[in-house]
Amino acid sequence: MTKYVFVTGGVVSGIGKGIINASIGRLLKNRGYKVALAKIDPYVNVDAGTMSPFQHGEVYVTDDGAETDLDLGHYERFVDMSLSRLSNITTGQVYGEVIRKERQGDSYLGATVQIIPHITDEIKSRIRRCAEYHEADVCLVEIGGTVGDIEGQPFLEAIRQMHHDEGASNVCFIHVTLVPYLETVGELKTKPTQHSVQELRRVGIHPDILVCRAPRPLTDDIKRKVSLFCDVPVSHVIDSHDVQGTLYQIPLLIEEQGIADLITDRLSLPRRPAGNEAWIDMVRRINTPTRRVKIAMVGKYTDLHDSYLSVTEALHHGGVANDAGVDIVYVDSEDIEDEGPHKLLADVNGILVPGGFGTRGIEGKIAAINYARRNGIPFLGLCLGLQTAVIEFARNVCGLQGANSKEFDDGTAHPVIVKLEELEGVVELGGTMRLGAYPCKLEPGSLAARLYDTLEISERHRHRYEVNNTYRERLEQGGLVVSGTSPAGDLVEIVELPDHPFFIASQFHPEFKSRPNRPHPLFAGLVKAALDNQRESGVQSR
């Protein structure tokens, strides 16, 4: 029988519920328990696919093509497992399904369709389906937003009902809350946490464990105060203060306070050995690299680093593979258009151009790629990064003046990038791209084949446009190597330049499959090449 852990949040959004949920997943997995993880997003969108990165950070894509909240990326990276669309539940999905059933006419037997029981039953059904899909011993569910938000009320009611349905020994409630520090009085303040727990108890949920986020460690007096006013044992007040170093040490921070044993005790599961040795060693290596290297990420959404969260993490994973710390320089591609690449990229040892949509900043990306190609700077392009690399090569090597993507210039004389054939005529934006994992075959002897150490791979996609095969021969005659294609050979997946120290780009998003304990080969290769560039050029990271 599956047990359930529900993680709620209070006081403010963005408090770190996802990291806590992921950390608990890692600790339970290390103990040999089979876990499932899910994120509930109370917004009315069906998924995150059409949301601006500036509003919600990156869109994380699963193997089965779901466009999901970025917290699923935390789950996959911490727990090292592949999730599915069942792991992201939204208000849009829930209400859409209930309305579909009502219109169908035979699901509710003539009943008046209401929040309780119809909406809450649909929520509970989706949670249970996620647990069943993974055959989980424990299903960890994060409730997005903040306790007290009007859009979150049906979800809180649903998990309250699950406590009733499943039985007290099969459900554990964890509340993540804020204990702010007031500089004016020099104290940590517990009142926001007290009010947050009161709000949670008003809807019938009594937290079993409190995880207190704070800018500095909680004192014993603060823990006792939280315990008294929130009616939880002192041992169940977990200190999750800000840490110096990697997020991957959070599981160890809360492990030291016994959170995993508290959870298994609450769920009537046997205590098992922690089994954290490999994780401890990984965290040690991340926090104490023997060298550092500087890599520029040239993007369109650099004002919000969460827009490139998986890419950022994958770069750090690449550093782990090379016993190196990676100092990421976020460069706005529009600034390159204004100031030129020489000024902004002169002191970096590698350049990465990530994905994105729309015309803004495109010429800056192309200029950065031109700089990397001409100056022998290691380069990795992802999705749009591949497309802009092809545009740059077509213009400046193949002599195709004005070459462009039809996404940016529908009337270009040389459309080297075009919309996927199956998407021609599709005008809806939501869920209409090439999404999820697809196989790819690699060219023997290529850089891609050497990095992957295999000739067949599977990677996740999120794109509408592709390399125009009409220009493929012309590009290859100019020296561009198509080193990865779809199994039928009709879709370009990877391009590279053999006469460059490291120049490779993928149409897919390799960052979604990178893990701290299993760095992705493309990112590990980029960091290694950047370290080689650092040694040869003398440009050091500071």
Side-chain angles (χ1 to χ4, degrees):
M1 180 179 183
T2 299
K3 313 278 187 169
Y4 294 91
V5 175
F6 294 106
V7 179
T8 56
V11 185
V12 295
S13 60
I15 200 170
K17 301 183 298 297
I19 296 294
I20 295 300
N21 204 33
S23 297
I24 295 169
R26 167 47 62 180
L27 296 177
L28 292 178
K29 182 177 180 179
N30 284 355
R31 283 166 164 75
Y33 288 107
K34 196 169 184 180
V35 299
L37 295 99
K39 169 70 183 293
I40 288 176
D41 283 304
Y43 48 65
V44 183
N45 305 63
V46 172
D47 59 35
T50 59
M51 298 173 72
S52 166
F54 289 120
Q55 285 199 17
H56 208 66
E58 77 170 3
V59 174
Y60 191 83
V61 179
T62 57
D63 276 341
D64 63 350
E67 296 176 285
T68 73
D69 182 81
L70 60 79
D71 276 320
L72 267 71
H74 289 312
Y75 301 166
E76 290 203 349
R77 287 188 288 271
F78 274 69
V79 187
D80 192 11
M81 64 184 294
S82 293
L83 302 176
S84 74
R85 63 181 65 253
L86 297 176
S87 289
N88 198 199
I89 303 168
T90 70
T91 294
Q93 294 171 15
V94 170
Y95 278 74
E97 180 62 13
V98 170
I99 291 170
R100 186 195 66 79
K101 289 177 179 178
E102 187 276 331
R103 292 289 83 189
Q104 182 177 293
D106 59 358
S107 295
Y108 299 128
L109 302 177
T112 300
V113 179
Q114 297 177 293
I115 304 298
I116 301 172
H118 303 100
I119 294 296
T120 51
D121 282 353
E122 180 64 28
I123 294 167
K124 291 188 292 182
S125 173
R126 286 171 178 262
I127 291 170
R128 290 178 176 126
R129 283 207 300 273
C130 177
E132 291 166 3
Y133 177 80
H134 290 284
E135 300 177 338
D137 300 315
V138 182
C139 182
L140 301 145
V141 184
E142 174 193 352
I143 314 299
T146 305
V147 169
D149 293 344
I150 189 170
E151 61 264 32
Q153 290 178 1
F155 296 101
L156 295 178
E157 170 60 19
I159 66 173
R160 183 200 67 77
Q161 292 179 19
M162 287 195 70
H163 181 269
H164 176 270
D165 298 343
E166 304 290 332
S169 64
N170 296 315
V171 172
C172 177
F173 291 117
I174 299 176
H175 191 53
V176 183
T177 182
L178 179 68
V179 180
Y181 182 81
L182 292 189
E183 294 285 352
T184 52
V185 294
E187 291 179 353
L188 289 166
K189 289 295 185 179
T190 66
K191 193 66 70 177
T193 289
Q194 295 175 41
H195 287 170
S196 181
V197 172
Q198 288 172 13
E199 187 70 30
L200 193 59
R201 289 164 70 178
R202 282 192 189 100
V203 299
I205 296 173
H206 189 114
D208 299 297
I209 299 170
L210 293 178
V211 177
C212 297
R213 291 282 295 109
R216 55 185 63 193
L218 304 186
T219 64
D220 289 341
D221 285 343
I222 290 292
K223 284 190 173 186
R224 283 192 291 267
K225 188 174 182 180
V226 169
S227 169
L228 175 64
F229 282 95
C230 297
D231 194 25
V232 297
V234 173
S235 60
H236 291 52
V237 178
I238 304 297
D239 175 7
S240 180
H241 57 268
D242 295 345
V243 297
Q244 297 296 319
T246 176
L247 283 174
Y248 299 115
Q249 66 197 59
I250 298 297
L252 304 178
L253 172 65
I254 61 176
E255 171 75 284
E256 291 171 0
Q257 300 167 72
I259 192 170
D261 288 337
L262 292 176
I263 292 169
T264 53
D265 289 350
R266 181 70 184 83
L267 297 176
S268 300
L269 292 170
R271 291 192 178 191
R272 293 176 177 175
N276 293 325
E277 295 79 12
W279 196 263
I280 291 170
D281 180 65
M282 181 196 75
V283 169
R284 177 193 58 77
R285 288 185 287 114
I286 293 174
N287 284 335
T288 57
T290 60
R291 46 194 177 168
R292 305 199 67 82
V293 69
K294 186 181 292 186
I295 294 176
M297 189 187 304
V298 181
K300 299 167 53 151
Y301 318 114
T302 52
D303 287 344
L304 180 65
H305 294 176
D306 272 1
S307 300
Y308 301 114
L309 181 57
S310 291
V311 181
T312 296
E313 290 302 309
L315 279 172
H316 291 310
H317 302 164
V320 176
N322 290 279
D323 195 20
V326 179
D327 299 319
I328 302 173
V329 182
Y330 295 91
V331 180
D332 192 315
S333 56
E334 287 187 290
D335 290 342
I336 292 182
E337 292 176 357
D338 295 336
E339 303 177 42
H342 293 81
K343 180 178 180 179
L344 298 174
L345 303 175
D347 64 344
V348 303
N349 304 111
I351 296 171
L352 185 149
V353 175
F357 299 92
T359 60
R360 183 179 61 83
I362 290 300
E363 292 302 323
K365 287 178 178 261
I366 292 171
I369 295 166
N370 177 268
Y371 179 84
R373 181 179 61 79
R374 291 169 63 90
N375 291 280
I377 308 298
F379 166 77
L380 174 61
L382 311 176
C383 195
L384 182 60
L386 175 141
Q387 295 172 12
T388 45
V390 169
I391 293 169
E392 191 280 327
F393 193 85
R395 289 179 185 177
N396 299 312
V397 177
C398 298
L400 300 175
Q401 188 173 359
N404 215 327
S405 167
K406 289 189 68 87
E407 179 183 7
F408 314 136
D409 180 4
D410 194 48
T412 176
H414 297 291
V416 292
I417 306 295
V418 294
K419 184 176 278 190
L420 288 160
E421 185 176 346
E422 61 265 30
L423 296 182
E424 287 293 344
V426 175
V427 295
E428 288 187 355
L429 297 181
T432 56
M433 290 182 274
R434 188 175 191 235
L435 293 166
Y438 287 86
C440 170
K441 64 178 183 180
L442 305 181
E443 186 67 24
S446 64
L447 172 60
R450 295 197 302 274
L451 291 171
Y452 278 97
D453 194 27
T454 185
L455 296 180
E456 295 182 359
I457 61 172
S458 175
E459 294 283 4
R460 299 179 191 178
H461 295 69
R462 185 175 184 250
H463 63 101
R464 289 188 180 89
Y465 289 80
E466 62 172 333
V467 175
N468 186 347
N469 283 323
T470 303
Y471 287 89
R472 189 158 149 186
E473 184 177 355
R474 181 76 174 271
L475 293 166
E476 291 177 321
Q477 287 175 349
L480 189 69
V481 172
V482 176
S483 57
T485 67
S486 58
D490 55 335
L491 295 176
V492 173
E493 294 277 17
I494 304 175
V495 299
E496 59 186 67
L497 291 178
D499 57 352
H500 190 282
F502 188 94
F503 191 105
I504 190 168
S506 68
Q507 182 59 73
F508 49 79
H509 288 269
E511 67 270 23
F512 294 144
K513 299 189 78 169
S514 187
R515 309 285 184 260
N517 54 327
R518 289 191 299 114
H520 194 284
L522 292 184
F523 289 91
L526 174 65
V527 174
K528 181 181 184 300
L531 288 164
D532 292 341
N533 175 271
Q534 181 187 75
R535 184 177 61 254
E536 294 166 5
S537 68
V539 177
Q540 300 292 316
S541 181
R542 292 178 173 82

